[in-house]
Amino acid sequence: RLKGSPGPEPEAYHGQTPSPSPGPLPRQSNPSHLQTPLSPLTKLSLLVPTASKGQMMEERANLMHMMKLSIKVLLQSALSLGRSLDADHAPLQQFFVVMEHCLKHGLKVKKSFIGQNKSFFGPLELVEKLCPEASDIATSVRNLPELKTAVGRGRAWLYLALMQKKLADYLKVLIDNKHLLSEFYEPEALMMEEEGMVIVGLLVGLNVLDANLCLKGEDLDSQVGVIDFSLYLKDVQDLDSGREHERITDVLDQKNYVEELNRHLSCTVGDLQTKIDGLEKTNSKLQEELSAATDRICSLQEEQQQLREQNELIRERSEKSVEITKQDTKVELETYKQTRQGLDEMYSDVWKQLKEEKKVRLELEKELELQIGMKTEMEIAMKLLEKDTHEKQDTLVALRQQLEEVKAINLQMFHKVQNAENTLQQKNEAIASFEGKTNQVMSSMKQMEERLQQAERARQGAEERSHKVQQELSGRVSALQLQLAQLRDQCSGLEKELKSEKEQRQALQRELQREKDTSCLLQTELQQVEGLKKELRELQDEKAELRKVCEEQEQALQEMGLHLSQSKLKMEDIKEVNKALKGHTWLKDDEATHCKQCEKEFSISRRKHHCRNCGHIFCNTCSSNELALPSYPKPVRVCDSCHTLLLQRCSSTAS
């Protein structure tokens, strides 16, 4: 429905859309004073549920145009009011009405026992599941006792999202998950098409505004969503006033840009702190692994000592056997001198045994040399690992110092920005006051000039009258002289008034010069502000350099991770060497889930036990035997199969 007066001014032009899903506007022959380039949503009847695709496309286009207009008018009005808005602000109310129409477009009707339900609060509840930050809004809306319908809750949700400056983010999350929105919207709805993403992009501009909305005491359930088109029809003079606000918006946009940069820097600092914590954890793990390696090296040294003792015993035995053989040869030489052939044979046998024992001795010495070389290599590897750990600790200390310096620089930049903003506000107020004074002085100057013109006109009229009277009445000279004296008195009074007005004019000119001087001072201050802007740019360059330093630090951390991985590989190599020295593979607890002999599953009652001979894992019943092994000084747990094999070996050697 259109309501408007036939006058030339289009300010009284109102439009109302009572239907929740407006249809396309039919073309009508409107008069010239009501023709506008907009496409207003004016259709009284409700749309039929089975609307065609063309109608849905026209509705989406109209809603998108209305959203653009409402956001543009809201931003312009907010700039004039200082970017802070209340609930009574008319453009803000109209924005919420248009937003409600956009969310209602293409909603599916849910039928129940009571009747049909068609509310846009259902899709908004999905934001709580997709974005946990919106849980506070949903809980606060549900806890409001004044809201009794789903429409009122949806309006309250929109109010709170706009106050949080996250309305665009929440709607973007909804549009990215269209498979969830398909339960609430038809496939040709605005939220399911590309126009939804365009509207989300337009809503990002509202993050500049500060909305102070009070939900208590407002009847959000019974409000009627009517669009007032008078707010979107502007005069030509309003376009000139918008250019004056562009300068203010540029400064405020720069402020918001600096705030966003600070927020990104704080996020990067948090990421660096998390990385440092991870590195500290890895260092602690490496220290634990080093302690375990040292323990293993100590055990290997003990085993080497045991091997040395065994080698000494073998040497003593070999020497004893050699002495026994020598004694036997002497006895045989004394007793069997006659039988030289038998002695020669016995001598050859003894000689062969000596050669074999010498070979055995050489082999044992080679094995000892190999073990000594392995021990030296293990000691060198341990020293290298200790050096790596010390270097990594030094780099961590340097990184922490650099992070503290970055935090101090960020704080200094934040204080400088705040000081610059305060000085800008003060100077803008001074400029406004001086402009008001100059306007007053100019108005007073215009009034004085008008008075001077009137006085000169009166003087000229009096002189013309005097000349006419002298020509016509030459006989009345005396009367005319009296009248001339009166006129001279009047002229003298007028001249005095002129002199006083001239003095006032000179005083006003002096004041104007003073104000010009003050304006020059203000211009110099503006130049100083530009210098501050340059300083801000330099600070931004410093921020970029700091970012580069942070990236280099991240590369250093990556290199440290590579060094750590290399050290881990070295540790694994050391473990493999230890396994080779032991001669058997030592299974891990995680690798075995069943006993190798009885194949029963391990549990709390049936625990795992390693066999010290073969390294496999058995249960208690299958590994209850104990024997003294050459690598262990005391009797150790052994499985049943190894126990029988070792007993057989002992019996064979004894026999």
Side-chain angles (χ1 to χ4, degrees):
R1 183 180 296 173
L2 296 175
K3 294 182 180 180
S5 61
E9 295 181 355
E11 293 181 353
Y13 181 39
H14 298 280
Q16 298 177 352
T17 59
S19 62
S21 60
L25 181 66
R27 296 182 180 177
Q28 296 178 358
S29 60
N30 295 325
S32 62
H33 62 272
L34 292 176
Q35 289 180 359
T36 57
L38 305 174
S39 59
L41 309 171
T42 56
K43 196 165 186 179
L44 290 170
S45 61
L46 292 168
L47 289 171
V48 181
T50 58
S52 63
K53 292 184 179 179
Q55 290 177 352
M56 296 290 280
M57 288 175 66
E58 289 178 358
E59 289 172 6
R60 289 198 302 270
N62 291 332
L63 285 170
M64 189 175 69
H65 290 307
M66 287 306 303
M67 180 58 72
K68 287 181 181 178
L69 287 172
S70 63
I71 291 170
K72 185 177 180 182
V73 172
L74 181 59
L75 289 172
Q76 289 177 356
S77 62
L79 289 173
S80 63
L81 295 174
R83 293 176 183 257
S84 60
L85 304 175
D86 297 326
D88 297 329
H89 193 55
L92 184 62
Q93 293 176 356
Q94 290 299 313
F95 164 75
F96 283 121
V97 171
V98 176
M99 193 71 216
E100 184 177 349
H101 281 292
C102 292
L103 291 172
K104 285 182 179 180
H105 183 262
L107 267 175
K108 292 181 180 179
V109 179
K110 293 185 178 180
K111 296 181 180 180
S112 61
F113 294 103
I114 300 169
Q116 293 182 353
N117 185 10
K118 190 176 182 181
S119 65
F120 59 94
F121 185 61
L124 297 179
E125 286 180 334
L126 294 174
V127 180
E128 184 180 0
K129 298 177 182 178
L130 299 172
C131 188
E133 296 176 359
S135 59
D136 297 332
I137 295 175
T139 52
S140 59
V141 167
R142 293 190 188 97
N143 292 329
L144 286 172
E146 299 173 358
L147 301 175
K148 296 180 181 179
T149 62
V151 176
R153 293 190 186 95
R155 291 169 179 169
W157 191 93
L158 291 174
Y159 283 16
L160 293 172
L162 184 65
M163 283 194 285
Q164 284 188 357
K165 298 182 179 180
K166 291 185 177 180
L167 182 59
D169 297 335
Y170 294 156
L171 290 178
K172 186 177 183 299
V173 170
L174 274 178
I175 290 170
D176 290 338
N177 296 291
K178 290 183 180 179
H179 62 281
L180 297 175
L181 286 176
S182 60
E183 297 179 2
F184 300 93
Y185 289 98
E186 294 179 358
E188 296 176 359
L190 187 140
M191 295 294 287
M192 300 293 289
E193 295 292 336
E194 294 179 356
E195 285 82 359
M197 289 299 294
V198 175
I199 289 171
V200 169
L202 294 172
L203 292 174
V204 174
L206 298 179
N207 294 334
V208 183
L209 305 179
D210 294 325
N212 298 320
L213 306 175
C214 183
L215 299 177
K216 293 182 180 180
E218 288 190 6
D219 189 7
L220 297 175
D221 294 328
S222 61
Q223 287 183 1
V224 179
V226 178
I227 300 173
D228 187 5
F229 290 99
S230 64
L231 297 172
Y232 311 121
L233 300 174
K234 295 183 179 179
D235 294 333
V236 179
Q237 296 177 357
D238 295 333
L239 297 173
D240 296 330
S241 63
R243 296 175 182 174
E244 296 177 358
H245 297 293
E246 290 178 357
R247 299 175 182 175
I248 300 168
T249 55
D250 293 334
V251 176
L252 293 171
D253 292 332
Q254 290 177 359
K255 175 188 172 185
N256 294 323
Y257 179 69
V258 172
E259 288 178 354
E260 288 179 357
L261 285 176
N262 287 323
R263 187 174 64 188
H264 288 301
L265 283 173
S266 63
C267 292
T268 53
V269 169
D271 294 333
L272 287 172
Q273 287 179 354
T274 53
K275 289 179 181 178
I276 288 166
D277 293 333
L279 287 171
E280 289 177 353
K281 290 178 181 178
T282 53
N283 283 324
S284 63
K285 289 179 181 179
L286 284 172
Q287 289 175 357
E288 290 175 358
E289 290 177 358
L290 284 171
S291 62
T294 51
D295 295 333
R296 290 177 183 175
I297 288 165
C298 292
S299 64
L300 288 170
Q301 289 175 356
E302 290 176 357
E303 289 178 359
Q304 285 179 356
Q305 289 178 358
Q306 291 175 1
L307 289 169
R308 285 178 183 175
E309 290 175 357
Q310 290 177 1
N311 288 324
E312 288 176 356
L313 291 170
I314 291 165
R315 284 179 185 176
E316 290 175 357
R317 289 177 183 176
S318 63
E319 288 174 356
K320 287 179 182 180
S321 64
V322 169
E323 289 175 356
I324 291 165
T325 52
K326 285 180 181 179
Q327 291 175 1
D328 293 333
T329 53
K330 286 179 182 179
V331 172
E332 286 174 356
L333 284 169
E334 289 175 355
T335 54
Y336 295 104
K337 287 180 181 179
Q338 294 177 359
T339 58
R340 188 174 181 179
Q341 293 178 356
L343 286 169
D344 292 331
E345 291 175 358
M346 292 295 291
Y347 182 76
S348 63
D349 293 332
V350 171
W351 184 253
K352 288 178 182 179
Q353 289 178 0
L354 283 169
K355 285 182 178 180
E356 289 175 357
E357 287 175 356
K358 285 180 181 179
K359 288 179 181 179
V360 171
R361 186 177 178 180
L362 291 170
E363 289 175 357
L364 290 170
E365 286 177 354
K366 287 180 181 179
E367 288 179 357
L368 283 170
E369 288 177 356
L370 288 171
Q371 289 177 359
I372 291 164
M374 292 294 292
K375 183 181 176 181
T376 55
E377 288 177 357
M378 291 285 288
E379 289 176 353
I380 292 165
M382 287 295 296
K383 289 179 181 178
L384 290 172
L385 287 172
E386 288 176 355
K387 287 181 182 178
D388 289 334
T389 52
H390 288 302
E391 289 176 356
K392 287 167 185 175
Q393 288 176 358
D394 294 334
T395 53
L396 284 171
V397 171
L399 286 170
R400 285 177 181 171
Q401 291 178 358
Q402 289 178 1
L403 282 172
E404 289 176 356
E405 290 175 357
V406 170
K407 288 180 182 178
I409 290 166
N410 284 327
L411 289 171
Q412 290 177 1
M413 290 174 70
F414 183 72
H415 290 306
K416 285 182 181 179
V417 171
Q418 286 184 348
N419 293 326
E421 288 176 356
N422 293 326
T423 54
L424 280 171
Q425 289 179 358
Q426 292 176 1
K427 288 172 183 177
N428 288 325
E429 291 175 357
I431 288 166
S433 63
F434 282 123
E435 286 178 354
K437 288 181 181 179
T438 51
N439 291 325
Q440 291 177 0
V441 169
M442 290 297 289
S443 62
S444 61
M445 287 289 293
K446 287 179 181 179
Q447 290 177 1
M448 293 295 290
E449 287 176 356
E450 288 175 358
R451 288 180 183 176
L452 284 170
Q453 289 177 1
Q454 289 176 2
E456 286 177 356
R457 289 173 184 174
R459 186 176 178 182
Q460 289 176 0
E463 286 178 357
E464 288 175 358
R465 288 174 185 173
S466 64
H467 286 299
K468 288 179 181 179
V469 169
Q470 285 179 1
Q471 290 176 2
E472 290 176 358
L473 301 171
S474 60
R476 299 177 181 178
V477 175
S478 60
L480 289 171
Q481 288 178 353
L482 293 172
Q483 289 178 0
L484 284 170
Q486 292 176 358
L487 290 170
R488 285 174 183 174
D489 293 331
Q490 291 178 359
C491 288
S492 62
L494 291 170
E495 286 175 357
K496 289 178 181 179
E497 289 179 358
L498 286 170
K499 286 179 181 179
S500 63
E501 287 176 354
K502 286 179 180 179
E503 289 175 354
Q504 289 178 358
R505 186 174 182 180
Q506 290 176 357
L508 290 171
Q509 287 178 354
R510 290 173 186 173
E511 289 179 357
L512 280 171
Q513 288 178 356
R514 290 175 185 173
E515 289 176 355
K516 286 179 180 178
D517 294 332
T518 54
S519 65
C520 292
L521 291 172
L522 289 171
Q523 288 178 356
T524 55
E525 288 177 353
L526 286 170
Q527 291 177 357
Q528 291 177 359
V529 169
E530 290 177 354
L532 290 171
K533 288 180 180 179
K534 291 179 180 179
E535 289 180 357
L536 282 172
R537 291 174 184 172
E538 292 175 356
L539 290 171
Q540 289 175 359
D541 296 332
E542 290 178 358
K543 281 185 180 180
E545 292 176 356
L546 289 171
R547 282 182 182 174
K548 291 180 181 178
V549 172
C550 288
E551 290 176 355
E552 292 175 356
Q553 290 174 359
E554 287 179 354
Q555 290 179 359
L557 290 172
Q558 290 177 359
E559 291 176 357
M560 287 175 68
L562 291 172
H563 286 300
L564 289 172
S565 63
Q566 290 176 1
S567 63
K568 286 183 180 179
L569 291 171
K570 288 179 181 178
M571 290 298 295
E572 289 177 358
D573 294 333
I574 291 165
K575 289 178 183 178
E576 289 177 0
V577 170
N578 290 330
K579 288 178 183 179
L581 288 171
K582 288 180 181 178
H584 295 286
T585 57
W586 189 267
L587 290 176
K588 294 182 180 179
D589 293 333
D590 298 331
E591 292 177 357
T593 57
H594 294 78
C595 178
K596 188 174 181 181
Q597 188 172 353
C598 63
E599 294 183 355
K600 292 182 179 179
E601 188 176 3
F602 294 114
S603 62
I604 297 170
S605 61
R606 187 178 290 104
R607 300 183 66 186
K608 299 177 182 180
H609 298 283
H610 280 87
C611 177
R612 298 300 189 275
N613 187 28
C614 63
H616 294 291
I617 297 172
F618 300 88
C619 62
N620 190 15
T621 57
C622 297
S623 62
S624 60
N625 301 312
E626 290 183 354
L627 278 175
L629 297 174
S631 60
Y632 294 94
K634 295 180 181 181
V636 188
R637 185 184 290 272
V638 178
C639 65
D640 293 337
S641 59
C642 292
H643 184 261
T644 54
L645 288 170
L646 291 170
L647 287 174
Q648 288 176 2
R649 287 179 186 175
C650 290
S651 62
S652 63
T653 52
S655 61

